[in-house]
Amino acid sequence: MTTEQIERAVLLYYDDIMRYFVYRIRNRNTSEDLTQETFYRFIRYAESARYEGERKCRSYLYAIASRVCLDHFSRNADLAELDDSIPAPAAEREMAMAIEEALAALPEPQREAAVLYYYSGLRLREIARIQNASISAVKSRLKAARDSLRILLSEEDET
């Protein structure tokens, strides 16, 4: 991968990777640090990698981000605090917080699959590669996540 391709990937995907961490970690400052770590690893290994298009580069970045996230969770098992600095319009803020809390209640594989699919727009095959799972396992995780979120959010409406 050339320097120009690396620079282009950073410009194209930096915000997406940052958003991924914000939804997974739920802390803006930590998300910024982990995004930097992801791109550091990407740049370090990208020169030896060969890609057949931007989709594979994006999948590779998300795979790195997933590993960085797992490393973070293994080092800091008790970091699950909300960060009020995540920007959202005032009218949507309450719903966004309810969704973030519901996502936090999901088991890790379901939460990661949901974030990658719904927030990052990755395809099932890409998510399967990132999670080292079959496509049917990813489909199952997404269905379970949707069902759980539906229940959790309806309980939130009742309170």
Side-chain angles (χ1 to χ4, degrees):
M1 196 167 205
T2 68
T3 304
E4 286 180 14
Q5 290 171 318
I6 292 171
E7 288 175 6
R8 181 180 167 147
V10 171
L11 290 173
L12 278 174
Y13 300 118
Y14 189 89
D15 291 339
D16 294 337
I17 298 297
M18 176 68 175
R19 192 171 18 263
Y20 167 79
F21 282 120
V22 167
Y23 281 108
R24 293 284 312 278
I25 305 297
R26 303 173 66 211
N27 179 290
R28 188 115 176 122
N29 293 329
T30 303
S31 295
E32 289 172 356
D33 293 342
L34 296 179
T35 300
Q36 290 293 323
E37 174 64 21
T38 297
F39 280 96
Y40 170 74
R41 290 184 189 183
F42 172 72
I43 291 168
R44 196 166 83 192
Y45 298 115
E47 291 180 356
S48 62
R50 298 197 195 300
Y51 301 102
E52 297 175 16
E54 289 182 14
R55 280 201 101 50
K56 288 193 178 190
C57 180
R58 183 174 85 158
S59 293
Y60 182 58
L61 271 166
Y62 277 105
I64 294 170
S66 179
R67 284 190 294 275
V68 167
C69 197
L70 289 174
D71 291 347
H72 170 74
F73 284 136
S74 69
R75 285 189 309 268
N76 307 297
D78 60 345
L79 286 179
E81 75 275 3
L82 289 173
D83 182 2
D84 291 331
S85 69
I86 300 169
E92 298 174 6
R93 184 74 177 150
E94 188 174 315
M95 183 58 158
M97 292 297 288
I99 291 171
E100 287 178 18
E101 288 174 6
L103 277 170
L106 295 177
E108 181 58 31
Q110 290 178 17
R111 179 175 44 238
E112 181 180 36
V115 168
L116 289 170
Y117 187 78
Y118 293 109
Y119 291 102
S120 300
L122 268 64
R123 295 179 179 172
L124 294 173
R125 179 172 284 128
E126 294 171 313
I127 297 168
R129 248 185 264 131
I130 290 167
Q131 291 192 322
N132 197 24
S134 67
I135 292 175
S136 59
V138 172
K139 287 180 182 178
S140 176
R141 290 172 184 169
L142 287 171
K143 182 181 180 339
R146 279 192 304 272
D147 292 346
S148 296
L149 288 171
R150 190 175 297 117
I151 291 167
L152 291 167
L153 291 173
S154 69
E155 289 172 0
E156 178 75 24
D157 287 342
E158 293 173 4
T159 60

